[in-house]
C-alpha cells in the first residue's frame, strides 16, 4: 500500500507540459451538412473565440483538434528537410495538432524559439507550422526554425510548411508516456469541423460554462456543446485506475 501511494504521488507530480488549473474544456462539432465549406467553419470559430475572450473572468481561449492525454487527432510519417525519409520501424509517427486562437497561451505551453501563429498565417499565405521540443531535438538539433516539413514537397511546393516556432512538450498519449515529436498547424490553413475548446479563467472554470454555451447558441441556436469538464478533471480521469488501485490496497 505504501509503495502504491508513493507511486501514485509520483505519477501526479509528473510534468505534463501544461497548466491544468482553472481551465474549462468542452467539445464542439459542427455538422458538415450545415458547414460544408472551410470558410464557414473558420468564421464560426473566429466569432466564437472573440465572444468567449470578451466574457468576464476569461483570460484566454483556444482550440485544437484533440485533447491532451487522449491521443493525437492525427499522426503521419512526413518528410523533413535535411533528414532522410522516416523509417516506420524505428522512427515514431509525427503527431499533428490543428490549433486556433491562443491555444498555447491558454495551456501555458512555453514558446522556446521563433514565434507563435498570428494574423499573418491565413489560408492564402505561406504554409507554416510550429514543432515541439521533441521534434526539434530528434530531427533538427542544429535549429528547427526556418526548416521545412511536408507531406510531399517533391510533388507540390504548396504542401511544404516552414517551421516558424518551437514550443515545449506536452503529454498527449498518457501521463506515463513520453512526449513524441509533434507539429502544430494553424486552423486557418487546415479548418476542421470538430475541435476541443480550452478556456482559461481567473476563478472556477465551471462558473463560465453557462455563459460559454450561451455564446455558442448566439451564433447557431441549434449547435450543442458536450463533454464539459475542467482540464484538472480530465487529468484525474486518466489517473482513475491508479487511484483506485492505491485506495484498494490502502484499505
Amino acid at each position: 500500500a505504501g509503495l502504491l501511494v508513493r507511486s501514485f504521488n509520483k505519477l501526479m507530480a509528473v510534468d505534463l507540459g501544461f497548466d491544468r488549473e482553472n481551465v474549462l474544456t468542452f467539445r464542439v462539432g459542427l455538422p458538415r451538412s450545415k458547414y460544408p465549406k472551410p470558410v464557414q467553419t473558420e468564421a464560426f470559430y473566429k466569432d466564437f473565440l472573440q465572444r468567449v475572450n470578451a466574457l468576464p473572468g476569461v483570460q484566454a481561449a483556444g482550440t485544437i483538434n484533440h485533447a491532451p492525454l487522449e491521443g493525437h487527432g492525427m499522426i503521419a510519417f512526413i518528410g523533413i528537410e535535411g533528414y532522410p525519409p522516416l523509417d516506420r520501424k524505428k522512427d515514431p509517427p509525427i503527431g499533428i495538432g490543428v490549433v486556433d486562437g491562443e491555444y498555447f497561451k491558454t495551456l501555458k505551453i512555453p514558446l522556446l524559439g521563433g514565434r507563435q501563429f498570428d494574423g499573418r498565417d491565413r489560408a492564402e499565405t505561406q504554409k507554416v507550422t510550429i514543432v515541439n521540443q521533441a521534434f526539434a531535438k530528434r530531427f533538427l538539433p542544429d535549429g528547427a526554425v526556418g526548416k521545412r516539413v511536408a507531406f510531399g514537397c517533391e510533388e507540390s511546393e504548396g504542401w511544404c510548411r516552414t517551421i516558424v516556432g518551437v514550443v515545449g512538450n506536452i503529454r498527449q498519449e498518457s501521463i506515463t508516456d513520453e512526449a513524441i515529436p509533434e507539429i502544430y498547424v494553424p486552423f486557418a490553413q487546415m479548418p476542421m469541423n470538430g475541435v476541443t475548446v480550452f478556456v482559461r479563467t481567473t476563478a472556477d472554470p465551471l462558473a463560465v460554462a453557462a455563459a460559454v454555451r450561451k455564446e455558442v447558441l448566439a451564433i447557431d441556436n441549434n449547435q450543442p456543446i458536450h463533454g464539459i469538464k475542467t482540464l484538472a478533471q480530465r487529468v484525474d480521469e486518466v489517473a482513475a485506475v491508479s487511484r483506485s488501485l492505491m485506495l484498494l490496497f490502502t484499505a
Side-chain angles (χ1 to χ4, degrees), residues 1-223:
L3 178 62
L4 283 172
V5 170
R6 186 168 58 184
S7 298
F8 179 77
N9 289 336
K10 289 178 63 177
L11 180 67
M12 297 307 293
V14 167
D15 181 12
L16 301 176
F18 56 85
D19 184 355
R20 74 189 79 173
E21 301 302 327
N22 292 338
V23 178
L24 181 72
T25 73
F26 54 92
R27 188 78 179 169
V28 179
L30 302 180
R32 294 192 179 277
S33 59
K34 192 171 184 178
Y35 298 87
K37 298 180 180 179
V39 65
Q40 295 173 307
T41 304
E42 184 181 358
F44 177 94
Y45 286 116
K46 182 179 180 180
D47 186 11
F48 174 60
L49 289 177
Q50 287 178 343
R51 289 170 176 267
V52 171
N53 276 301
L55 292 174
V58 171
Q59 292 181 325
T63 70
I64 192 170
N65 58 315
H66 56 263
L69 305 176
E70 294 183 3
H72 291 85
M74 298 182 290
I75 59 173
F77 289 92
I78 63 177
I80 302 168
E81 187 177 53
Y83 195 87
L86 296 186
D87 186 337
R88 299 195 176 211
K89 295 182 179 179
K90 297 180 180 179
D91 292 312
I94 308 300
I96 304 172
V98 182
V99 302
D100 195 15
E102 298 181 313
Y103 170 76
F104 300 112
K105 178 181 177 180
T106 303
L107 266 63
K108 296 187 177 181
I109 301 172
L111 179 68
L112 306 178
R115 66 173 178 87
Q116 295 188 9
F117 298 136
D118 54 35
R120 79 190 85 169
D121 304 316
R122 302 185 301 275
E124 68 276 10
T125 61
Q126 179 190 36
K127 299 295 187 291
V128 296
T129 186
I130 289 174
V131 303
N132 69 348
Q133 188 177 22
F135 183 103
K137 184 177 180 179
R138 184 180 183 92
F139 300 115
L140 300 168
D142 295 331
V145 176
K147 299 292 180 62
R148 300 192 303 173
V149 300
F151 298 97
C153 271
E154 302 81 7
E155 290 78 18
S156 172
E157 184 70 18
W159 285 100
C160 292
R161 291 187 175 276
T162 301
I163 299 172
V164 296
V166 179
V167 295
N169 298 327
I170 69 173
R171 308 263 177 157
Q172 294 284 19
E173 300 294 337
S174 72
I175 295 179
T176 55
D177 292 338
E178 293 295 329
I180 71 169
E182 184 174 14
I183 69 172
Y184 297 94
V185 177
F187 186 88
Q189 295 182 354
M190 192 184 289
M192 308 196 74
N193 286 55
V195 301
T196 300
V197 183
F198 299 84
V199 181
R200 178 166 293 281
T201 62
T202 55
D204 179 13
L206 292 175
V208 304
V212 168
R213 189 190 300 273
K214 184 178 179 180
E215 295 302 334
V216 172
L217 296 178
I219 304 173
D220 184 342
N221 59 7
N222 292 317
Q223 178 59 47

